[in-house]
Amino acid sequence: MTTTDRIAEPWGTRTPYAAGEAWPVRVDTHLEEGLDPDAVDRWVQTASILHSNGDALDIAVKDGRIAGVRGRAEDRVNHGRLGVKDLYGWQANSSPDRLTRPLVRVDGELVETDWDTAMDRIVARTRELLAEQGASALGFYTTGQLFAEEYYTLGLIAHGGLGTNHVDGNTRLCTATAAAALKESFACDGQPGSYTDIDHADVIALYGHNMAETQSVLWMRILDRLAGPNPPQLICVDPRPTEVARHAAVHLAPKPGTNVAMMNGLLHELIAHGHIDQQYIDAHTVGYAELEQRVQEYTPEHAGQICDVPAEQIREAARIIGGAERLLSTVLQGFYQSHQATAASVQVNNVHLIRGMLGRPGCGILQMNGQPTAQNTRECGGDGDLPGFRNWSNDEHVADLARVWNVEPSRIPHYGPPTHVMQMMRYAEDGSIRLMWVSGTNPAVSLPELARIRAIFEQDRLVLVVQDLYLTETAQLADVVLPAATWGEKTGTFTNVDRTVHLSEKAVDPPGDAKPDLDIFLDYARRLDLRDKDGEPLVTWHDPESAFEAWKECTRGRPCDYTGLSYDKLRGASGIQWPCNEDHPEGTERLYEGGAFWSDAAYCESYGKDLVTGAPLEPSEYKALNPEAKAVIKAAAYLPPHEVTSEDFPFQLITGRTLYHFHTRTKTARAPQLQRAAPEVWVELCARDAAAWGIGEGDLTEVTTPRGSVKAQARITGIRPGVLFLPFHYGYWDTGGGYGPGDGGRAANELTITDWDPASKQPIFKTAAAQIRRVSADKGPAPAPTTTASAPVGDVGFRTAGDHTALADEKVSVGGGTVTDGGPR
């Protein structure tokens, strides 16, 4: 056993292994200072809540409080390892500024009250609006961090009880494109691959996916493969010099907004050099001829000119991908939050379809999620979709859900697609949504164009309900604030990216009068007296386990079948992958083995959309396109971004996350080690641009777009020229400035544009046109981590088509808390 500074060494020690071998166990543990493991009162089973990997861990309980964590050695996801946010983030639960009592607004001020007063105010306004306008006046915006039982309950209340179509989650900001891309190619959500594909792959391609910082334990798995015999080759597509890029055989750093051109260039090369499986294409896909014709013009030279990437790099990446015997691809925000998000992500699916690399070890796609329960929002109806991957456009699916809920089909809104959050904000802005219930998310920092968002929430005609742990920027604008329990304080299940379901048990009581989200939703339904068609209570469950049993029944016969699971079964050593049922009692490792897809028109979740306009296909169109239930190969042409650079705004602004924080820092900033590692916002630019604009390391700068400005110290990195990077975590709650910028902007979304992908409706955070200016001389180095993609460099850290200078990184580590590392066993 060793002790490691996991802030300075965030991925810990290596446990090398070879292709086809089991990933060795390494148990990571962090306890509060002075607490010996033998002195822990009890260990309680759970999984990670501060990223999407789904790492299993145990909570240490001492004297009725959370006192630390350790990884679960037997779990299939992490084999005992934990990332830095898991190791330290639990401390936020006991933060002294937790909300402990409901608040209501009286004479412009939020004052403490009791639950009856707060809930009666919400219920009274709900009834008024239903009588006056109908269900269209009500909107629900939730998170990617609740439990499946809570999303399912909210979905039933909103869709089956109230009849509103205005339901979405903040997963719209991080993984809506993952779902959309899977629906376009396979007509259904659900990740084809498994994390264990890392154990077998000989090539791993990461598209817009800074795995080292977003899913750090999964990156540890890749690092251990790279340290062992016969390591895989990595392909990295990212404009920043991430840790992934530093380990890659080829690092493609395209101009933001050109991902479709990049993918078409790779597909052109794969087809031109015969790196395709024609037998698989003929037997299991439709649409190949159109793809072949579409990508003909995207030679490496043409694609490289659009992307500003050397043609030879595209050729080399395609040669490696084309030569792979076992190819794993992952995709995340660099594609999802950029221009042509769904179209670009679909092209990654196309690589696997034309190469026939699905459904066997090492051959998989992971259209990654950004949050721990993002998958559950999509499965359970928390993002507006029908629960169980049912199809909004299929009347038989609606009737089947009505049977499960015992309501009339007409009561479930299915006259059109669910309302995504950007459209919900437009409706609230126009005055048609008049009550918005926000649970577990902070849109006053995380949505685009924050000045507009604040103005919407400040309207007198909108009643804003916020259900959260702290008085966030959004909660400060609310009319009613409900104190919620969080992970470790309640029981429920959640599902990660590769479909692994974990049980999270209650370890301690929530503070004060705070309640689990499930209890709050159940109370709302009871006070409204929601009934089914027989006059019985609409919601028939009363606690997490009974809610899970109801959810299981809703999934029966659907792709995400949970009927073989139970709380008792999930109390075992490891999480279990769905579908889990009579045919697959121990779960399912991979989907689509042998080219068997869920794409039959009578069964599938989606008929697809036009990738340019977002217009949904009619059922008859889909049946004509895909009568034999095959996978769909969809081609796409590159289109320029909507906002382009100019003389006044010569830079492209991209936003993203850092290893040490999660979302708007409501939890991670309350963990001392994580906050010290990344205490303040910064802006990254390359050395060439810094010299041209007279900016040095640590100088205070102002970044401006047509929508606002942010002041941040400069970090000179190896980011591609012409691009600025801002982390999106930083808002105003810890600046003393309330919920807004005051004298100077800090939140990256002061700058981003109100625009979204037409197919997935995911906001675009990575193509805003910006300018930067130096405000004052340096105050010392920028407050950016030096262990990550934000590491400083002397000059430029990669090569573009226009600049072939390459200089080495200068990487510096920082100090932080220590953990015990059990080492391999």
Side-chain angles (χ1 to χ4, degrees):
M1 181 175 290
T2 60
T3 299
T4 304
D5 182 341
R6 285 292 298 278
I7 297 296
E9 300 179 60
W11 303 286
T13 56
R14 300 279 56 78
T15 55
Y17 71 117
E21 293 181 353
W23 189 25
V25 167
R26 188 195 85 195
V27 177
D28 295 343
T29 304
H30 179 56
L31 301 176
E32 65 183 15
E33 188 174 356
L35 179 61
D36 187 272
D38 294 336
V40 172
D41 293 339
R42 56 194 174 94
W43 295 90
V44 179
Q45 176 179 350
T46 184
S48 56
I49 194 68
L50 292 173
H51 52 82
S52 67
N53 210 53
D55 303 327
L57 60 144
D58 293 323
I59 295 172
V61 179
K62 179 66 176 176
D63 298 331
R65 70 182 190 282
I66 296 177
V69 292
R70 71 179 179 193
R72 291 177 65 84
E74 299 85 359
D75 194 77
R76 65 174 305 278
V77 172
N78 58 319
H79 294 218
R81 291 161 187 78
L82 296 177
V84 292
K85 289 190 282 289
D86 292 325
L87 287 167
Y88 305 115
W90 53 268
Q91 297 169 96
N93 278 44
S94 59
S95 177
D97 61 345
R98 282 287 299 271
L99 291 170
T100 59
R101 296 194 65 195
L103 307 173
V104 295
R105 192 167 296 279
V106 178
D107 296 328
E109 300 293 330
L110 287 172
V111 299
E112 287 190 350
T113 189
D114 55 48
W115 275 98
D116 283 340
T117 300
M119 294 302 295
D120 285 347
R121 182 176 290 202
I122 298 168
V123 169
R125 187 57 178 157
T126 300
R127 287 183 172 139
E128 289 173 0
L129 292 173
L130 286 172
E132 182 179 328
Q133 180 180 322
S136 65
L138 309 174
F140 295 86
Y141 183 49
T142 187
T143 179
Q145 299 170 62
L146 303 187
F147 292 142
E149 296 84 349
E150 294 164 339
Y151 294 127
Y152 183 54
T153 302
L154 176 60
L156 169 58
I157 291 169
H159 296 309
L162 299 172
T164 181
N165 209 21
H166 306 326
V167 182
D168 202 1
N170 69 5
T171 51
R172 184 67 55 188
L173 314 182
C174 62
T175 59
T177 300
L182 293 168
K183 291 176 188 177
E184 292 303 319
S185 298
F186 309 112
C188 189
D189 199 347
Q191 301 290 347
S194 168
Y195 288 167
T196 57
D197 288 330
I198 290 173
D199 305 342
H200 304 278
D202 55 6
V203 175
I204 303 174
L206 299 97
Y207 298 94
H209 183 195
N210 182 6
M211 184 192 287
E213 301 190 50
T214 54
Q215 289 87 24
S216 61
V217 170
L218 203 61
W219 178 241
M220 295 174 204
R221 198 168 192 151
I222 290 180
L223 287 177
D224 288 350
R225 274 294 320 274
L226 293 175
N230 303 314
Q233 290 183 286
L234 303 189
I235 305 296
C236 173
V237 180
D238 200 304
R240 299 173 70 214
T242 64
E243 282 296 306
V244 176
R246 290 166 185 148
H247 287 81
V250 179
H251 173 203
L252 301 169
K255 181 180 179 181
T258 64
N259 293 328
V260 166
M262 170 67 69
M263 293 307 305
N264 282 350
L266 293 173
L267 287 161
H268 170 98
E269 285 293 281
L270 293 175
I271 293 171
H273 292 278
H275 297 307
I276 63 172
D277 185 335
Q278 192 66 55
Q279 185 176 359
Y280 187 94
I281 292 169
D282 294 341
H284 302 301
T285 74
V286 296
Y288 174 72
E290 182 184 352
L291 178 74
E292 185 178 28
Q293 181 179 10
R294 172 66 66 191
V295 302
Q296 279 183 354
E297 66 181 285
Y298 290 91
T299 63
E301 286 74 18
H302 180 51
Q305 184 178 29
I306 295 171
C307 303
D308 189 27
V309 169
E312 190 52 43
Q313 287 190 356
I314 298 175
R315 288 195 180 90
E316 179 63 8
R319 183 192 67 77
I320 292 172
I321 293 170
E325 296 181 5
R326 295 171 300 278
L327 172 67
L328 171 65
S329 297
T330 72
V331 193
L332 198 58
Q333 312 299 26
F335 273 35
Y336 297 166
Q337 294 180 339
S338 192
H339 176 61
Q340 291 189 281
T342 305
S345 301
V346 163
Q347 304 318 305
V348 178
N349 297 343
N350 288 342
V351 169
H352 283 258
L353 289 171
I354 70 172
R355 296 229 57 225
M357 291 204 172
L358 283 173
R360 52 194 173 91
C363 301
I365 302 165
L366 294 171
Q367 296 278 354
M368 300 294 293
N369 299 337
Q371 294 189 77
T373 60
Q375 193 65 42
N376 294 121
T377 66
R378 287 144 48 184
E379 297 168 5
C380 302
D383 67 345
D385 287 339
L386 289 184
F389 292 162
R390 289 174 174 84
N391 193 332
W392 280 95
S393 301
N394 187 323
D395 288 341
E396 292 184 5
H397 286 204
V398 176
D400 182 59
L401 182 61
R403 174 192 60 80
V404 173
W405 286 350
N406 197 34
V407 299
E408 296 295 339
S410 59
R411 188 163 169 181
I412 301 173
H414 59 285
Y415 44 82
T419 311
H420 61 98
V421 68
M422 300 300 287
Q423 188 63 55
M424 286 169 61
M425 296 307 296
R426 183 72 44 87
Y427 289 153
E429 189 173 39
D430 293 344
S432 60
I433 287 183
R434 296 160 66 188
L435 186 151
M436 183 172 289
W437 191 324
V438 176
S439 53
T441 186
N442 191 16
V445 176
S446 59
L447 285 181
E449 197 174 349
L450 289 181
R452 172 176 173 258
I453 300 302
R454 288 189 293 268
I456 293 170
F457 285 155
E458 288 172 331
Q459 294 179 111
D460 290 338
R461 62 187 175 187
L462 177 70
V463 172
L464 178 64
V465 179
V466 173
Q467 182 171 313
D468 214 317
L469 313 181
Y470 314 97
L471 196 64
T472 64
E473 290 86 345
T474 307
Q476 292 179 54
L477 293 163
D479 297 285
V480 181
V481 180
L482 304 177
T486 186
W487 164 95
E489 301 165 358
K490 59 182 183 176
T491 294
T493 57
F494 48 101
T495 307
N496 75 346
V497 175
D498 81 340
R499 297 170 283 105
T500 301
V501 184
H502 283 108
L503 176 66
S504 179
E505 302 262 31
K506 179 180 176 180
V508 300
D509 290 329
D513 295 334
K515 291 184 179 183
D517 299 88
L518 178 63
D519 290 357
I520 297 171
F521 295 145
L522 291 174
D523 186 33
Y524 181 57
R526 180 185 60 80
R527 290 172 187 268
L528 282 171
D529 195 27
L530 298 177
R531 300 279 171 168
D532 65 14
K533 66 180 183 180
D534 296 326
E536 297 298 319
L538 177 69
V539 183
T540 59
W541 48 92
H542 62 280
D543 65 2
E545 190 164 9
S546 58
F548 184 76
E549 291 300 313
W551 164 236
K552 281 169 52 179
E553 189 56 37
C554 185
T555 69
R556 185 178 297 278
R558 297 303 302 158
C560 53
D561 196 327
Y562 279 63
T563 52
L565 295 172
S566 67
Y567 273 25
D568 284 342
K569 189 168 186 173
L570 290 170
R571 288 188 175 105
S574 177
I576 300 171
Q577 292 170 286
W578 66 250
C580 181
N581 49 27
E582 289 184 2
D583 295 333
H584 305 279
E586 301 307 317
T588 306
E589 183 81 353
R590 295 172 186 85
L591 306 182
Y592 309 141
E593 182 178 354
F597 300 100
W598 290 322
S599 54
D600 182 86
Y603 186 74
C604 69
E605 182 187 8
S606 172
Y607 301 131
K609 296 177 181 177
D610 185 286
L611 295 180
V612 176
T613 67
L617 271 65
E618 294 295 325
S620 58
E621 293 178 288
Y622 179 78
K623 291 175 184 177
L625 168 72
N626 192 18
E628 297 179 304
K630 298 182 178 183
V632 179
I633 294 175
K634 275 197 171 180
Y638 164 72
L639 300 171
H642 299 158
E643 182 166 283
V644 297
T645 56
S646 64
E647 184 176 349
D648 290 334
F649 298 100
F651 289 93
Q652 287 184 294
L653 173 68
I654 61 176
T655 70
R657 66 177 51 176
T658 181
L659 172 65
Y660 301 103
H661 282 305
F662 187 58
H663 288 212
T664 62
R665 298 165 50 252
T666 53
K667 296 186 183 77
T668 53
R670 291 171 168 89
Q673 298 91 337
L674 300 176
Q675 177 62 7
R676 285 196 301 266
E680 185 54 82
V681 69
W682 69 92
V683 60
E684 294 174 21
L685 72 166
C686 76
R688 191 176 75 186
D689 290 334
W693 292 84
I695 296 169
E697 169 68 32
D699 283 356
L700 182 64
T701 69
E702 184 176 53
V703 182
T704 304
T705 72
R707 291 157 293 280
S709 64
V710 167
K711 289 183 178 178
Q713 284 181 259
R715 165 55 52 87
I716 314 302
T717 76
I719 196 170
R720 66 163 293 126
V723 176
L724 305 175
F725 170 84
L726 278 171
F728 60 62
H729 307 292
Y730 299 88
Y732 305 104
W733 64 266
D734 57 342
T735 65
Y739 57 81
D743 294 333
R746 188 191 194 205
N749 284 315
E750 302 289 353
L751 310 180
T752 48
I753 190 171
T754 299
D755 193 9
W756 55 84
D757 180 73
S760 68
K761 316 304 181 187
Q762 182 156 348
I764 296 172
F765 292 107
K766 297 188 185 291
T767 56
Q771 61 177 242
I772 188 170
R773 71 179 183 90
R774 180 176 179 268
V775 175
S776 62
D778 71 270
K779 305 175 181 178
T786 57
T787 52
T788 64
S790 304
V793 296
D795 280 292
V796 180
F798 73 97
R799 305 198 305 184
T800 72
D803 182 353
H804 290 269
T805 304
L807 292 157
D809 292 351
E810 176 191 350
K811 188 161 65 173
V812 183
S813 65
V814 297
T818 60
V819 300
T820 55
D821 167 7
R825 60 182 175 91

